Amino acid sequence: MIQFLEKIDIEALINAVNETLYMTSISFVFSIFIGLFIGVLLYLTSSDGLYSNKIINKIMDMIINVLRAIPFAILIIILFDLATLLTGSMLGATAALPALIIAASPVYARMCVIAFIEVDKGTIEASKSMGASNFEIIFKVLIPEASVALVSSASVLAISLISYTAIAGVIGSGGLGNYAYLYGFSRGNNAVLYTSTFLIVVIVFVVQFVSDYVIKKIDKR
Amino acid sequence: MIEFKNVYKTFKGKNDIHALNGVSLKIDDGLIYGVIGYSGAGKSTLVRIINQLENCSSGEVLIDGIDQSNLSGKQLRESRQKIGMIFQHFNLMWSRTVFENIEFPLEIAKVKKSERIKIVNELIAMVGLNGREFSYPSELSGGQKQRIGIARALANNPKILLCDEATSALDPETTDSILQLLQSINQKMNITIVMITHQMEVVQKICHKIAVMSDGKVVEVNTVKELFENPKHDVTKRFTQNLDGNVKIEQIKKELKDIYPFGQLLKLTFTGNTSSRPILAETIRQCKLDVSIVNSNITHSIEGPIGAMYVNMANGDATSYQQFIDMLKNEGVSVEIL
Ligand SMILES: Nc1ncnc2c1ncn2[C@@H]1O[C@H](COP(=O)(O)OP(=O)(O)OP(=O)(O)O)[C@@H](O)[C@H]1O
Ligand SMILES: [Mg+2]
């Protein structure tokens, strides 16, 4: 056991964990907001939405489908190039953020639309009949009534993001994926490889646990 | 006053559906106004045009003389705050407590928090949900949910309350209690109530006036009593005789005859102007006939007992049968020999 631990550079490991948490949480927050925003727009412009608009709906739909069709490993290479051009630097956790957000936002937007479609049409209609404006309907009815599905989708998204950061890490953006690949796999150091994997699994479990807890709290259906 | 002027509504689609075909109707203030018709007759469409959840294809809908279809977005939202609506499936928000559900329309109307708390508490007491303020709708029964729906609809002190099949998802007893609540609201707050239903029992109990709809048209408008005494349209007859819309009256007669081959089968129609004495029991006692009740559907309306009853009399001769019929007629019961 001691021997096993000796092979691990604790400081580097902690640093890797921090980087993973940093990448995941920043990209999570951004993709939740961007995804929710796009999701609301998609829902509103859909054929029986509050601001039905075929053209805008189709265009957004297409962009989302294209972004979702590009595998993350390829998307991040393309965007790394872009980031290098823009900032001159190539590596580091921050460099991975644009790719993570661009990959995750469309996914969450889709999940939001599904959540909104499941909101009872009658409830929306009732709030209309009480004189609610579209703005009030979105923020006081649609989102709260979809909250359970929105939270459970958010946890799926967070978990996807954790695995995306690992892929980003292999390409060179730091974090546990990077640590596992560079110090574990490349140097044949199994202790590092398994410890990193174990920590990623732990993070995923924590996310799942938190989400289950929140859902249990808010689900009054 | 709510006034429909030659209203048409067509739902465009592969096959256009003409939901309303020229409806003209006046609903006076303070009434409980029933709209009855079979499924697809256009009742929901009619009521949804009142608060513009649906707009009409042509014609006008006026509330106190104001055409609802010409209102701006803001004017329409303000107008809607004065028109409460309750629904068959309650349409409450599961994410809000009873209290918060009732508070919602007050938030929409930008009422101050302290005022909101006061109004909601009054409403909760009025619909009899004390102690359940902080429950969630999922923890309540159907009748209780409809009470939240009613309280919510009344929060902004509306002039009109629209009820679309408000009791159709409830059992008969709960239906009665909800109807009583609506009746007392009508009396206390002087609210015009428009009640849509396909169940005659529901409208006949509390409505002052009833419009009968068929195929997107209003085919007959009258008081409950007049509709029972003098149904003119076929649909009205089917409703007042309380038979399923698809069954022919002749068919029913034949079936009863098969079951009761002996004696004489009668249909007694009570139209509300009978006294409160036990007329039937007294008459049977005096005539000494064997009278069996075959089928009965009598309810109490605001004008007294109303409905039809099928009885079979046996063990008598033609004179005693006639005597029985005459006595009932004298009491204001209309008698039909089948
Ligand atoms: N949004 C809609 N789009 C297309 N057709 C519709 C729509 N709403 C109603 N209809 C059609 O209009 C007609 C009248 O419908 P409506 O809902 O007013 O009937 P109803 O009398 O309320 O019936 P029910 O007792 O079943 O509720 C029906 O043929 C129905 O299919
Ligand atoms: Mg209907």
Side-chain angles (χ1 to χ4, degrees):
Chain A
M1 189 66 192
I2 307 270
Q3 273 179 338
F4 185 84
L5 284 177
E6 268 174 357
K7 290 187 183 165
I8 300 169
D9 178 349
I10 296 292
E11 210 169 297
L13 183 68
I14 291 173
N15 194 31
V17 171
N18 280 341
E19 279 173 342
T20 291
L21 292 179
Y22 166 79
M23 284 190 287
T24 310
S25 54
I26 300 281
S27 59
F28 176 73
V29 171
F30 274 92
S31 11
I32 290 287
F33 278 105
I34 297 172
L36 189 62
F37 180 74
I38 299 173
V40 168
L41 283 184
L42 270 175
Y43 176 79
L44 291 180
T45 54
S46 66
S47 57
D48 53 353
L50 297 168
Y51 296 102
S52 178
N53 186 321
K54 248 203 189 108
I55 297 169
I56 295 182
N57 193 272
K58 274 271 164 310
I59 292 174
M60 285 198 307
D61 203 59
M62 202 139 92
I63 296 173
I64 286 180
N65 282 343
V66 169
L67 286 177
R68 287 213 314 169
I70 305 174
F72 181 72
I74 295 171
L75 184 74
I76 194 164
I77 292 170
I78 298 171
L79 287 173
F80 257 26
D81 262 358
L82 211 66
T84 322
L85 277 179
L86 291 174
T87 63
S89 72
M90 162 89 178
L91 299 180
T94 309
L97 290 180
L100 289 170
I101 294 167
I102 288 175
S105 303
V107 177
Y108 194 59
R110 264 281 180 271
M111 295 195 277
C112 287
V113 173
I114 295 169
F116 294 151
I117 287 172
E118 275 170 16
V119 173
D120 184 8
K121 295 268 179 308
T123 311
I124 305 237
E125 180 144 280
S127 40
K128 252 194 217 173
S129 83
M130 287 180 264
S133 65
N134 291 342
F135 187 83
E136 286 165 326
I137 292 177
I138 295 165
F139 288 97
K140 281 177 178 285
V141 184
L142 189 64
I143 293 177
E145 290 288 295
S147 56
V148 170
L150 292 178
V151 171
S152 73
S153 310
S155 76
V156 173
L157 186 81
I159 291 166
S160 309
L161 275 171
I162 293 166
S163 66
Y164 284 177
T165 61
I167 300 175
V170 172
I171 296 168
S173 72
L176 281 167
N178 180 268
Y179 186 63
Y181 178 72
L182 227 55
Y183 298 88
F185 179 73
S186 302
R187 299 184 188 175
N189 186 340
N190 279 344
V192 167
L193 187 59
Y194 292 129
T195 311
S196 314
T197 311
F198 175 74
L199 286 175
I200 288 179
V201 171
V202 169
I203 296 174
V204 168
F205 269 63
V206 169
V207 168
Q208 192 60 56
F209 175 81
V210 171
S211 127
D212 287 349
Y213 178 79
V214 172
I215 287 173
K216 216 175 149 196
K217 276 271 166 223
I218 63 174
D219 192 356
K220 305 291 182 187
R221 282 176 296 188
Chain B
M1 188 167 73
I2 308 169
E3 194 174 359
F4 290 85
K5 282 189 179 165
N6 207 18
V7 171
Y8 285 80
K9 174 70 187 181
T10 305
F11 289 104
K12 296 257 181 286
K14 264 195 228 108
N15 303 310
D16 286 359
I17 296 166
H18 301 282
L20 295 180
N21 291 312
V23 171
S24 295
L25 193 67
K26 281 185 191 171
I27 302 178
D28 284 322
D29 285 344
L31 291 185
I32 303 183
Y33 203 100
V35 177
I36 190 164
Y38 291 110
S39 190
K43 309 179 294 291
S44 295
T45 310
L46 184 83
V47 82
R48 289 158 58 84
I49 282 181
I50 298 178
N51 61 359
Q52 291 287 300
L53 287 177
E54 219 74 77
N55 53 348
C56 37
S57 310
S58 77
E60 289 184 328
V61 183
L62 312 173
I63 297 179
D64 295 333
I66 298 166
D67 188 358
Q68 296 299 295
S69 47
N70 285 335
L71 298 178
S72 71
K74 186 162 175 290
Q75 286 170 326
L76 176 61
R77 290 199 300 276
E78 278 164 8
S79 166
R80 280 176 175 165
Q81 289 172 13
K82 292 291 169 197
I83 307 174
M85 187 166 192
I86 57 178
F87 305 85
Q88 178 172 6
H89 299 295
F90 323 122
N91 297 352
L92 303 171
M93 286 179 237
W94 63 259
S95 59
R96 287 177 170 241
T97 60
V98 170
F99 190 99
E100 290 163 342
N101 264 289
I102 302 173
E103 193 181 13
F104 180 79
L106 296 164
E107 287 171 25
I108 300 299
K110 310 271 184 303
V111 175
K112 279 206 311 274
K113 181 79 188 173
S114 57
E115 187 73 3
R116 293 207 300 258
I117 293 173
K118 201 182 123 234
I119 298 174
V120 173
N121 282 326
E122 281 169 14
L123 287 164
I124 284 177
M126 187 180 87
V127 299
L129 283 174
N130 304 71
R132 303 313 300 265
E133 292 87 333
F134 303 108
S135 305
Y136 284 87
S138 61
E139 299 161 354
L140 301 179
S141 71
Q144 290 170 323
K145 284 183 193 151
Q146 196 58 291
R147 283 165 189 274
I148 309 175
I150 293 172
R152 179 176 74 173
L154 296 176
N156 282 319
N157 225 336
K159 301 174 298 190
I160 300 170
L161 179 61
L162 308 175
C163 313
D164 191 351
E165 304 276 6
T167 57
S168 302
L170 305 174
D171 63 52
E173 268 149 61
T174 317
T175 295
D176 277 350
S177 75
I178 294 291
L179 291 179
Q180 271 166 28
L181 178 62
L182 290 174
Q183 197 169 27
S184 77
I185 286 164
N186 166 257
Q187 283 159 4
K188 272 189 235 152
M189 306 172 70
N190 195 31
I191 293 180
T192 311
I193 299 184
V194 182
M195 285 203 43
I196 288 191
T197 179
H198 57 266
Q199 297 167 292
M200 194 69 192
E201 312 87 87
V202 170
V203 279
Q204 85 189 62
K205 268 180 198 147
I206 63 167
C207 291
H208 301 106
K209 235 177 177 187
I210 294 177
V212 184
M213 283 193 77
S214 173
D215 292 328
K217 289 202 182 88
V218 172
V219 293
E220 198 166 344
V221 179
N222 225 324
T223 59
V224 182
K225 189 178 150 218
E226 281 295 319
L227 284 183
F228 272 89
E229 271 177 2
N230 263 322
K232 294 197 182 66
H233 196 272
D234 264 356
V235 173
T236 322
K237 285 181 191 159
R238 287 199 301 232
F239 271 115
T240 52
Q241 274 144 353
N242 229 310
L243 307 175
D244 187 87
N246 302 320
V247 180
K248 291 273 184 307
I249 294 162
E250 292 304 320
Q251 179 74 21
I252 293 277
K253 283 186 192 167
K254 203 172 152 291
E255 277 171 20
L256 285 180
K257 274 274 187 209
D258 288 345
I259 305 169
Y260 294 92
F262 306 109
Q264 179 62 57
L265 205 52
L266 298 178
K267 182 187 160 203
L268 314 180
T269 313
F270 293 79
T271 54
N273 41 12
T274 46
S275 68
S276 54
R277 283 186 299 116
I279 304 162
L280 194 60
E282 284 176 10
T283 321
I284 294 171
R285 219 177 293 136
Q286 286 174 27
C287 292
K288 301 200 172 66
L289 289 172
D290 288 349
V291 178
S292 41
I293 294 173
V294 179
N295 185 328
S296 160
N297 218 319
I298 309 269
T299 36
H300 288 268
S301 78
I302 49 174
E303 288 157 307
I306 272 185
M309 181 186 279
Y310 292 86
V311 299
N312 189 55
M313 33 182 204
N315 271 341
D317 51 25
T319 5
S320 57
Y321 285 168
Q322 192 53 47
Q323 194 190 359
F324 180 72
I325 292 168
D326 289 341
M327 285 171 77
L328 283 175
K329 278 185 176 164
N330 282 340
E331 295 288 352
V333 180
S334 81
V335 183
E336 194 181 328
I337 301 168
L338 301 180

